[in-house]
Amino acid sequence: MTDESNMARVREFLTRFKAGEYERLHELQSRIDWDIFPGAAEPYVPWMGHFEGREGADACIEGFAGTLTTEQFDITKLFADSGEVAAFIRAIWVVKSTGKSFRLDFFAVFTVQDDKIVSIREYGDTAAAIEAYRT
């Protein structure tokens, strides 16, 4: 696949994510391996951590969609090289249980093989998210 087709695949994934079309994300993936801001935020934020397989991805999405509403989700930059696509994203979310909003500027690295996303790794400063989840 070309860098352009890989970027198109990732752009479609992020468009569906922004629209809340979570079940349709699976159509764009094969082997699923998600590392969503792994590390210190995992005990506090239900959709951060390491998730494998469809069940893992579904648990991540359930933790996300069940606890947040989206105010903003914009791709600020997208580029590709040799099967990997990097997306820089600015998001503003509101935690349903606390009513607190937080902004998260982050980047995600997608690995694409045979026109399917096989892994996602997201990185960013999660301090604001942790604070927003605290009651």
Side-chain angles (χ1 to χ4, degrees), residues 63-129:
F64 178 86
T67 63
L68 293 178
T69 57
T70 301
E71 286 190 355
Q72 179 183 343
F73 187 89
D74 298 316
I75 303 168
T76 59
K77 191 171 197 170
L78 193 67
F79 59 92
D81 183 39
S82 302
E84 293 196 315
V85 177
F88 290 80
I89 299 164
R90 169 164 288 164
I92 299 175
W93 288 302
V94 177
V95 178
K96 293 176 182 178
S97 64
T98 66
K100 296 178 185 177
S101 67
F102 66 97
R103 184 175 108 183
L104 188 59
D105 293 312
F106 65 98
F107 71 96
V109 178
F110 295 79
T111 302
V112 182
Q113 294 175 350
D114 300 322
D115 202 35
K116 297 286 187 177
I117 296 167
V118 297
S119 74
I120 304 169
R121 299 174 317 275
E122 294 184 1
Y123 305 94
D125 183 352
T126 58

Side-chain angles (χ1 to χ4, degrees), residues 28-55:
L28 305 174
Q29 302 177 104
S30 62
R31 182 184 84 233
I32 301 171
D33 187 19
W34 290 1
D35 282 309
I36 310 300
F37 306 102
E42 291 178 41
Y44 307 103
V45 182
W47 47 273
M48 292 185 181
H50 181 77
F51 303 90
E52 290 184 25
R54 183 169 180 145
E55 287 181 7

